[in-house]
Amino acid sequence: MTRAMDAYRSLEKQFARLSALQEAEGLLHWDSSVMMPEGGGVDRGEQLATLAALAHEMITAPHVGDLIEQAAEADLDPWQAANLREMRRTRAHATAVPGDLVEATSRAVSSCEGIWRQARAKSDFAAVRPALEQVVALTRHSARAKAEALGCTVYDALLDQFEPGGSCAAIDPLFADLESFLPPFLDAVLDHQGDVADTPPGPYDQTAQETLGRTIMQAMGFDFRHGRLDVSAHPFCGGTPGDVRITTRYDTGDYSSALMGVIHETGHGLYERGLPSAWRRQPVGLARGMSIHESQSLLMEMQAGRSRDFFSFFGPLVRERFGVNGDDWTDEAQHRRAIQVRRGYIRVNADEVTYPLHVILRYRLERAMVEGTLEVADLPGAWNEGFERLLGIPVPDHCHGVMQDVHWFDGLIGYFPTYTLGAMTAAQLYAAAVLHNPDIPRSLTEGDFAPLLAWLRPNVHEKASSLSTHELLVQATGKPLDAGVFKAHLTRRYLV
């Protein structure tokens, strides 16, 4: 048994080194989106490819497999056992794909993302198409290899990287339920809400937006000693639990998109900061998949950040920061704009009602690409047709359509379903938190997120990957993921 425990301890050291290497890779990705000069792309691609290859060599080394088998005989506590389980899953993904494919994919993704950034501004899909075709071809190759090794479908093999244990078999009925519910619900909401005035035209000074964003982040509990706020083409949260990197993008004509983006990404950052320090750089200490991660951002943005309670705090800050007043700037008027429902093109700006339809479209398209029933050349047409069918409006150009998100161009294929799974999970977690502490909504009127965070820390953040997604949700809320909770939330907010 001592030999088995020694094997486990050796694995902990190996995975700690691997995690540090991957953290460095992540920070280079952040830099390429935020700070890197345009001419640095080639060098950065080589750097990232080298780090990806080194990480792959570390996890696929034969002795790591031997250590995992030896450690299985050790007398492990529940967290150690969960850690070994996650080590085994991580290695299974890595060993399924040869190192040269990992390196080639890293180079292709780095190149494609750089081309996308320039082509997106011109709505020029033709310019990025060859690079995306290469990324999709390599992704298909990886998916087939992983599916064979893991004994699942090609799409499930990719999904498992982002949502451990997730499957199309579980997602399809949930999404079919939402697809049947949302279109008629959307019509009812549009009739019910009547005319809602747009945000009065700016300009809204970018510096003022940034200052207000930082104020809200601090109210939410973000620690700027362990994080930053920057600008990028696509808002995201990166970095490490000890160095959280948040980005947003500013629009001087409408401050709300940047500020809600900040709240959203801060939800991600708070989760990362709340992961258990005792299991830092161990697989069990990582976030529990992307549906839980998205639940934390959407819980903060949609459940709390767009509540009427929060606008009692947020509304006066907006009036003070931008020097505005009058009927358009009451707390109620601002809140009505924040929960306005409309058919729109851009996912990251979408409301709660239409957002799942954006995700359902992307899920079906990326699944078809991976399964080989949709080619990249046909992607824009499929996007435009599906979008108009689901959202009811025609797509004007590629920038507002197939090129709006970085994910596919950055090799993140198999990721999109987690956004809507996260929205459903957020509704369920928030309902459980308020049931536990009915004072949470009142606290939000004062900009006090501490009671909400006090519930999330032990029930979600500190669990990390010690439990499966299903187990975590059952422990926190008393039941598995229930679409009915999400639909009830939408009904209360938008029709009552």
Side-chain angles (χ1 to χ4, degrees):
M1 206 55 83
T2 301
R3 183 167 175 266
M5 185 55 76
D6 287 343
Y8 173 77
R9 295 299 183 193
S10 295
L11 284 169
E12 283 193 333
K13 292 179 182 178
Q14 182 83 347
F15 275 84
R17 294 180 67 224
L18 174 66
S19 179
L21 193 66
Q22 291 170 330
E23 287 179 354
E25 185 179 359
L27 284 170
L28 285 177
H29 273 293
W30 170 86
D31 179 79
S32 61
S33 296
V34 177
M35 303 285 289
M36 186 186 75
E38 182 179 322
V42 174
D43 286 350
R44 183 55 47 84
E46 285 301 311
Q47 294 158 6
L48 290 170
T50 299
L51 289 176
L54 288 172
H56 188 262
E57 289 171 8
M58 287 179 66
I59 188 61
T60 59
H63 78 277
V64 174
D66 295 338
L67 289 172
I68 288 175
E69 296 309 313
Q70 293 171 26
E73 303 298 321
D75 184 18
L76 304 176
D77 67 30
W79 275 81
Q80 291 171 330
N83 199 29
L84 184 62
R85 178 198 69 212
E86 293 301 306
M87 290 173 176
R88 189 185 297 275
R89 189 182 71 83
T90 302
R91 179 174 161 81
H93 272 282
T95 55
V97 182
D100 58 351
L101 179 55
V102 172
E103 198 167 351
T105 301
S106 179
R107 284 196 178 92
V109 162
S110 182
S111 173
C112 185
E113 194 270 341
I115 295 170
W116 166 81
R117 273 187 280 143
Q118 296 188 36
R120 179 179 177 273
K122 302 174 184 177
S123 195
D124 187 358
F125 184 78
V128 75
R129 173 183 154 185
L132 181 59
E133 286 175 333
Q134 185 180 16
V135 169
V136 169
L138 292 168
T139 301
R140 285 174 178 168
H141 191 173
S142 295
R144 287 193 295 269
K146 290 190 175 193
E148 184 176 347
L150 301 175
C152 62
T153 68
V154 288
Y155 188 82
D156 286 355
L158 297 180
L159 177 65
D160 190 73
Q161 298 171 103
F162 307 105
E163 182 63 13
S167 68
C168 294
I171 291 170
D172 286 343
L174 289 170
F175 281 13
D177 184 3
L178 289 179
E179 188 176 4
S180 65
F181 168 77
L182 286 172
F185 181 77
L186 173 59
D187 290 337
V189 169
L190 291 173
D191 288 340
H192 179 76
Q193 74 177 10
D195 294 330
V196 179
D198 290 335
T199 301
Y204 300 99
D205 180 69
Q206 179 170 321
T207 300
Q209 292 186 52
E210 180 183 349
T211 301
L212 182 51
R214 289 177 179 274
T215 299
I216 294 168
M217 290 170 72
Q218 288 174 327
M220 294 173 68
F222 188 81
D223 185 353
F224 279 98
R225 297 173 304 170
H226 291 278
R228 292 174 55 93
L229 173 64
D230 292 280
V231 181
S232 67
H234 190 95
F236 69 93
C237 175
T240 73
D243 180 8
V244 178
R245 305 297 178 94
I246 287 174
T247 75
T248 192
R249 60 187 178 203
Y250 296 100
D251 178 356
T252 56
D254 182 2
Y255 64 90
S256 62
S257 61
L259 293 177
M260 284 299 164
V262 164
I263 294 173
H264 180 100
E265 300 305 337
T266 300
H268 283 304
L270 291 173
Y271 183 21
E272 287 292 323
R273 285 291 297 148
L275 295 171
S277 58
W279 292 97
R280 184 84 164 85
R281 295 197 176 94
Q282 292 300 308
V284 75
L286 300 177
R288 173 72 285 174
M290 288 314 303
S291 70
I292 296 297
H293 228 311
E294 287 303 321
S295 79
Q296 298 311 285
S297 59
L298 292 171
L299 191 154
M300 290 298 178
E301 179 198 356
M302 294 296 183
Q303 299 294 320
R306 294 183 192 263
S307 68
R308 179 173 277 105
D309 305 292
F310 177 67
F311 270 79
S312 295
F313 167 73
F314 182 66
L317 290 179
V318 170
R319 290 192 293 273
E320 177 186 356
R321 180 56 54 188
F322 298 116
V324 292
N325 240 309
D327 292 344
D328 288 336
W329 295 103
T330 64
D331 297 349
E332 181 63 23
Q334 291 185 56
H335 178 249
R336 277 174 56 81
R337 289 198 295 270
I339 63 166
Q340 181 180 14
V341 174
R342 61 172 58 179
R343 294 180 171 91
Y345 303 109
I346 306 300
R347 176 188 61 84
V348 295
N349 295 337
D351 55 79
E352 285 181 290
V353 177
T354 59
Y355 194 101
L357 297 173
H358 287 263
V359 170
I360 289 169
L361 171 66
R362 288 156 173 78
Y363 162 61
R364 289 178 177 161
L365 292 178
E366 68 178 15
R367 182 176 172 185
M369 282 196 292
V370 170
E371 292 174 349
T373 59
L374 176 65
E375 297 302 325
V376 170
D378 301 319
L379 180 59
W383 176 291
N384 294 348
E385 184 278 327
F387 189 90
E388 187 165 2
R389 177 174 51 81
L390 288 170
L391 276 299
I393 51 177
V395 179
D397 54 48
H398 297 319
C399 183
H400 288 83
V402 70
M403 295 184 71
Q404 66 179 265
D405 293 312
V406 70
H407 300 65
W408 294 337
F409 306 94
D410 204 25
L412 295 173
I413 299 174
Y415 183 112
F416 272 118
T418 63
Y419 284 115
T420 288
L421 296 175
M424 296 166 64
T425 302
Q428 196 159 319
L429 288 171
Y430 188 72
V434 173
L435 184 64
H436 174 79
N437 182 359
D439 196 47
I440 286 174
R442 186 202 61 77
S443 298
L444 293 176
T445 67
E446 301 170 358
D448 182 7
F449 282 75
L452 177 56
L453 203 56
W455 187 88
L456 290 171
R457 288 292 194 224
N459 288 287
V460 180
H461 302 177
E462 293 167 9
K463 300 292 186 185
S465 286
S466 64
L467 303 173
S468 70
T469 301
H470 171 81
E471 291 167 339
L472 188 153
L473 197 55
V474 169
Q475 281 197 15
T477 72
K479 60 182 177 180
L481 185 60
D482 181 358
V485 177
F486 180 59
K487 292 191 289 186
H489 158 70
L490 293 179
T491 301
R492 282 193 304 271
R493 175 169 283 180
Y494 296 100
L495 286 185
V496 175

